[in-house]
Amino acid sequence: MSAARTGEGAAAADADPRRWWGLMVIALAQLMVVLDATIVNIALPSAQRDLGMSDGNRQWVITAYTLAFGGLLLLGGRVADLVGRKRTFVVGLVGFAAASAIGGAATGPGMLFGARALQGVFAAVLAPSALSLLTTTFTDSRERGKAFGIYGTLAGSGAAVGFIVGGALTEYLNWRWCLYVNIPIAVAAVIGALVLLQDRPRRPGARLDVPGVLLGCGGLVALVHGFSEAEPRGWTDPYVLALFAAGIVLLLAFVWWQTRAPVPLLPLHIVRDRNRAGCFLTMMLAVMGMFGMFLFMTYYLQVALGYSPVKTGLAFLPLTVSILVGSTQISARLLHRVGPRMLMVPGMLLACAGMVVLTRMTVHSAYATEILPALILMGLGMGLTFMPVFSTATAGVAPWDAGVTSATVNTSQQVGGSIGTALLNTVATTSGASYITAHLTDPSRREAVVREGIVHGYTVAIWLAAGIMLLAALVAGLMVTARAPKPDTPTDERVPEAVA
């Protein structure tokens, strides 16, 4: 390595001495966004009673958020590239806090649905800004490993943390605090962003691709909405099929337009890169299996084992700790020594093994011996996988494309979560109903058979989730061929107190 290059790298590192504190701000914002996808799940029954929501409409508390978030991510990512990532990061935080305040003060279902949709809009601005700020701040491979290890932990465990926080707030305060809790988090993150974060210069002369926005975001909204409606309506419902058809047509038109647009919303070279495409697909498949597992385990712990909301949340804590260990203590230390697929493939195989262990659960399973080992295996697997996915997918991207690349990673998460929740829940419901029909021969055992049928449905769906994880391992092994990143500069191995 040349002395000149070393000097340039040292200067780049010294240019932002507060970057690790800035990472804490980015991590705080990302945790808020991911956490909000699940924090209201445990609070939903209380909110339904309080606001008089019907059973048919209550799903919109979840759907309104995921629709706006998943559908607008590409737009949010490109806006961050055009007007500045720090600026959109702050705007996203302020808007998210305001939407949370409106939702917490909701006096009726419509007000809550609207607030959740508004949260999704600002989350679509905030999430790609956060990841692209991380991408452009940490460029040395070793520092990148540590930074993305923390970020990967939040991405993988945020949903589980949402269950913990949501359970505690619902049980000891009320459901409204599942929304109000975002306000102090956002305020702290805004102050930190204004003081600590720096931005790169924007690309001169760039402009927004409006036809691309309409086609791309429209297609994503149609697909996400289709998957959310497939669960209550059925996969063959005309409305669901129309949404899928509209989504596919719009996305095909979007791809066609991106080859001709002067300044495309999503430059196709981003997704044509083999390693990046492999990371996007691995992420989507991993989240498909993981989100379904979260849904089933939440109901299983509360309904089958009789756990309280707080106890249910705490039951997910080992999963969160395992993801933290896998991301920061294994992946972050090894990524600059081995290729990313050497972490992603074992990670998905571990997660698959955890799913297989879960298929053994019954209505009388013991948490310590039958559930806990599965959660630890899945957590380690997710931690090993998510960190190299984020790092590899965003590596080598021009600064003016960092936002839209980050948005594409987040989009693969959201689409994967929507597909997984709808698909696995449908499989669980169908399998459970078939079991109950076949075994309900003695009316006196009706309640026991129903419980057994529900758990049987979960185990069948978890087998499918295990297969999806196995497919993710195959995709990562075949598509992600990047080598271990080589540090361009000497790296200070000391981790600041904020990170340690």
Side-chain angles (χ1 to χ4, degrees), residues 17 29 34 67 103 129 138 180 275 277 325 337 346 362 381 432 447 464 479:
V34 178
L67 264 183
S129 300
F138 294 92
Y180 287 145
N275 291 295
V325 171
R337 298 179 183 175
T362 67
E447 184 176 345
L464 177 57
M479 293 186 67

Side-chain angles (χ1 to χ4, degrees), residues 72-92 121-134 136 198-203 206-209 213 265 398-408 410:
L72 299 177
L73 271 165
L74 284 179
L75 174 60
R78 185 48 93 192
V79 168
D81 289 331
L82 294 178
V83 305
R85 286 169 281 279
K86 179 177 175 179
R87 184 180 301 175
T88 53
F89 183 79
V90 172
V91 169
V121 170
F122 285 106
V125 173
L126 183 57
S129 300
L131 182 53
S132 55
L133 280 168
L134 189 67
T136 55
Q198 298 181 11
D199 206 351
R200 294 287 185 90
R202 301 188 295 275
R203 187 176 189 177
R207 62 183 185 275
L208 189 62
D209 173 20
V213 169
L265 177 68
W400 48 80
D401 286 333
V404 74
T405 305
S406 302
T408 308
N410 281 286

Side-chain angles (χ1 to χ4, degrees), residues 167-179:
L169 292 174
T170 302
E171 188 160 333
Y172 297 119
L173 294 172
N174 62 51
W175 67 268
R176 296 180 185 276
W177 281 97
C178 291
L179 295 162

